[in-house]
Structure formats: structure tokens, C-alpha cells
Amino acid sequence: MDRSCSRAPRRRAVSGIVALGLAMTALTALPAAACSGRVFLDHDGDGRHDRGEPGLAGVAVSDGHTLVRTGADGRYRLPRGTALHFVVKPAGYVLGRRADGLPAHWARARGACADFALREDPRPAGELRVLLFADSQTRDAQEVEWFRRGIVERARITVSETVIRAGDGAGSTLPSRITVSDTVIPPALGVTLGDITNDDPALYPQLIEAVTSLGLPWLHAPGNHDVDLAAPADAGSLASFHAAFGPDTYAWEEAEASFIVFDDVIWQPYPGRKYIGGLREDQFAFLAAYLRDLPDDRPLVLAAHMPFFDDEPGIQTFRPADRERLFALLQRFEHVLLLTAHGHVQRHFFHEAGTGWHGARPLHEYNAGAACGSYWSGPLDADGIPLSTMADGTPKGWGELRLRGDGAYGLRWFIAEAASDPDTALALHAPQVLRRGSWPGQAVVANVFMGRADTRVEYRIDDGEWMPMVRVDQPDPRLLAENLRDDAAEELRAYDRLPEAAPSTHLWRGRLPTDLAAGEHRIEVRVRDPWRGEDIATTRYRLVDRDR
């Protein structure tokens, strides 16, 4: 025994602030003691371990750096007892909810590690439906209310009705596709891809209340607008996020896939660019430890905020060395899907050797559009919510992922405009009238919200032959028209005007013939999507004879 520990402490008068500082110095100087806890099967669902409730063996528990597995009795031991820690929810089980409605998959050790209560999952394995929100990015209580009514409530109605049709995959270079029956499958999980709020963590409780009202376990990744702006360095920049949502990097398992949700924002608060995409050493340690035990054919879904590709030529969005290191960890897996956000536009990117991916086939990254659209801007719709069309012409809304255990998956975008069908796949723009016999330089333009470079888009006039449309990199003329209306208005049409239209990656163009009979002509545009099958949209234009 160290007898010095038994001596009475010398009494000194110190201020409360100094005493607190001394206490914190003492705590940080001492190594954190290890702690232990248990993962058990909670038969009665009360969240407490009772006699007769067995421990669950082989379940992963982590502090975000070290990963351990429970023993035969469900016990685990972590080396750092003061750390925030979490259980990797195993497939076939469900977790209880915290007081705020979020999953009870994490805790902060206060002298002991937590016990994690699991129950058997009644959902049959086979196909998983996941709701995807990105960039809700609310600045105040008004925008939280718009998010609740304009996104959450519309999603609540839509998810109970929508059926994804079977795609034929014709002409697609996608690594996999999904064929879905006509059965409505309820969603079983929700994920928010960062920028939950817009630099105001005080809004987190209201945003949590909104998403948890859907009754799903909801996972959150932090974004660049979820950092604490006063933080002097990346370390400690997510204190508010941790307090509300728990770990910033963690895993979650369903029967169909493993989900890895992580922070990929490196906060660098000095003059110039405040952040860049990247990963920390502790995150690489966790990822390596978790992935090591997974079989090669286990589907992986990685959810983060910052895109892994460069947003603009010559400007790094994500640190190349970190991207290559991450991709090296993923390379052996046969089925990997990346989900990101941040850009307030909608894109699909396929990584190959040029971005550090050396897998057997291109790595698909779905860069999702924003729930807030263009930052809650533009005129109000019929429900009093800003239209907030994004700069690429995509309406604000939310995404949906469906996937199976064989790696097949399907993605879709739902639009949140009061006057539109939320399942609308494309929007058309065409002139209303043209002079018959004029040079056929005017066109119908189709914005296919989930379009990719290999998407087949065709059009026909009246009952004529189907003709291919040409993909173009240009602004959506529908948004350009709104820009001109804003320019011409002598007063603001809304609190904030819509963004300046930017070139879209999912726009197609087809020339309109002018050598047809005078009168009205129907334009049909069809899209063949490997995930949702065929969609058709129609509009009209008139040909008139005109004398000089």
C-alpha cells in the first residue's frame, strides 16, 4: 500500500475556478481506468438486466478507437473507462430508445461501462428500406418547423404508400440493381447525412423530436455546420454533437448490410478554408478493427457528409491520402455503397483508379440532395413552405435506399413540393409556341433528378418514333426562369431568392421539330431507370404560321 495516499490532504483556500482547473489537470494526467459492462437479451423490454436474461456473445463494443467483443456471458471490457462508448447493434436484434427517441446504442462511462439491452428483431430479413435525409440545415425555429412539415410529415405519408417498381437494368453500368415486388415494405431505419442544423446546436432537440416522430431508429452523421465554431482545433469540435447524438463514428448492423456512419469533416479554424474532408487516426483504428471480422461478401453502406470526390477541379474536397487509405480498407469487399451530402445538388459518382479505388468494379457514391434544398429559399408553396429548388434544378426532398443481403440495391428521390407528386422522377421544360418552318433549334429539356451518365432518356412527338435525348452540362431552364423573375422583381419575392442556376449533371435535351402541321403537339419523355423501371412525363408545344 502506498502510505502517502492515507495522509490527510493539506487544506488550502483556492477559488472554485482554480479548484476546477486543478481537478481537471489531475484527471487528464491520470490514465483512465478500464471499465466493463454487458450486452444482454432484454426479454421484458425494460432496459435493465434481470435474472434469467442471458448475455449475448460476440457482440462488438467500441469507444471509437478500440473494438472488443463480448464473451460467452455477454461481458465486455474497454481500456478507457471515461470514454463515450457504443454497441454495434448486431443483425437480428433491436435496441431500445433513449428518452429523446434516438437509439440507446451509446453511453458515457461514469465509473462503469454501460449495459446494452437488445431484443429480437421481428422484422423478416430479405429486403431493407432506409430513409435518407441530408442537410436539413436549419437556422432557427421557423426552419425547423418547415423541415418538420415539409420533409418529415410528407415522408410519413409517402412511406406508407410508395412501391418501387422492378427495373430491367437495360444498358446500365451499375454494379448491382434491385428487383422489388409490389408489396409495400415499411422503412426500418433512417439516416441523416450531416448538416443537421446550421451552426446552431441549440436546435438539436427540436430536430431530434421531428425525425424520431417517424418511429424509426435514426442515425446521424455530423456535417461541417454541426461543429462547434469556437473550437480551436478539430479535436473537441464536436462536443455539442456528442452530447446530443453520441459517437461521431460507429457501426450498425442489419441482416442485409453493415452500416458505418462517420464524421469526415476535419475542422481547421484558421484563415482560409475552415474545413476539409478527411478522417482521424482513431477512426482508421476503429474501421480497421471492425472491418477485419467481416466476410468479403458482406454488403457495406458508408454514410458521411463530405463527398469523397473533388467538388470542383483543382480544389480538394477530401484529403487524397485519407481517401486512398479508406478505399484500401474497403477494397476486398464485393458490395460497397457510399452515401454523402454537402453540395445541395444531386449527383452520382463512380470511383476508379483516378480517385484511389482499385476494386473489381467502380465504387458508387450517391451524393444526395438536400432536405432544405437551397437553404430554405424561394417563394412559398401552397403549404407555406419555401420551394427551395437546388442549383441543379432538383427539388428539395429526401432519398430512399432499398437493399438486399446479396448486395443488390435501389435508390430513389422523393420531392417535397406541395403541388407535385412526391414520386415524380423528372421535370420538363419546353417552349409553348414556335413558328412552323423555323430553324429547329429549340428543345425540350428533361431534368432527371436521379439521372446518371448511363441513364437512357428518350422522347417522341405525338405518336412518332422514340428518339434519344442528349445529356448536356448546362443550367436547368426552369430555374433560370425563376432567376430572371427574381431579377425583374422590384421587391423581394421571398425572404431569400432561389440560387443562381448552375450546370446540372442530370439534364437531357431533344430538339423540337418545326415541320409538322400547325397546331398543338404532345411531347413525351421516357426514362429507363434500372432501379425503378420506366417513367414518362408529358408536355406540349404549338406550331403556328406567321406572316412577316
Side-chain angles (χ1 to χ4, degrees), residues 176-243:
S176 55
R177 64 184 180 87
I178 192 165
T179 301
V180 186
S181 70
D182 287 342
T183 304
V184 176
I185 300 171
L189 185 65
V191 181
T192 294
L193 301 170
D195 280 2
I196 305 158
T197 186
N198 194 62
D199 304 325
D200 188 358
L203 298 174
Y204 283 154
Q206 299 172 54
L207 289 158
I208 291 171
E209 182 180 11
V211 297
T212 57
S213 71
L214 289 169
L216 304 176
W218 208 279
L219 312 180
H220 291 81
N224 55 288
H225 284 285
D226 296 314
V227 303
D228 295 325
L229 298 180
D234 187 59
S237 64
L238 289 176
S240 296
F241 178 91
H242 291 156

Side-chain angles (χ1 to χ4, degrees), residues 49-128:
H49 182 251
D50 302 317
R51 181 176 297 179
E53 294 182 330
L56 294 173
V59 179
V61 182
S62 178
D63 58 11
H65 182 281
T66 303
L67 183 141
V68 298
R69 298 242 171 212
T70 56
D73 60 355
R75 289 276 184 180
Y76 69 91
R77 183 177 178 84
L78 284 171
R80 287 183 290 275
T82 59
L84 183 153
H85 57 289
F86 58 91
V87 63
V88 176
K89 186 201 77 67
Y93 294 91
V94 294
L95 283 158
R97 305 291 171 84
R98 300 171 65 87
D100 59 8
L102 291 176
H105 73 121
W106 66 278
R108 198 178 291 275
R110 291 180 172 85
C113 283
D115 288 349
F116 293 105
L118 296 171
R119 290 174 289 116
E120 292 182 349
D121 189 352
R123 182 182 70 86
E127 188 177 311
L128 179 70

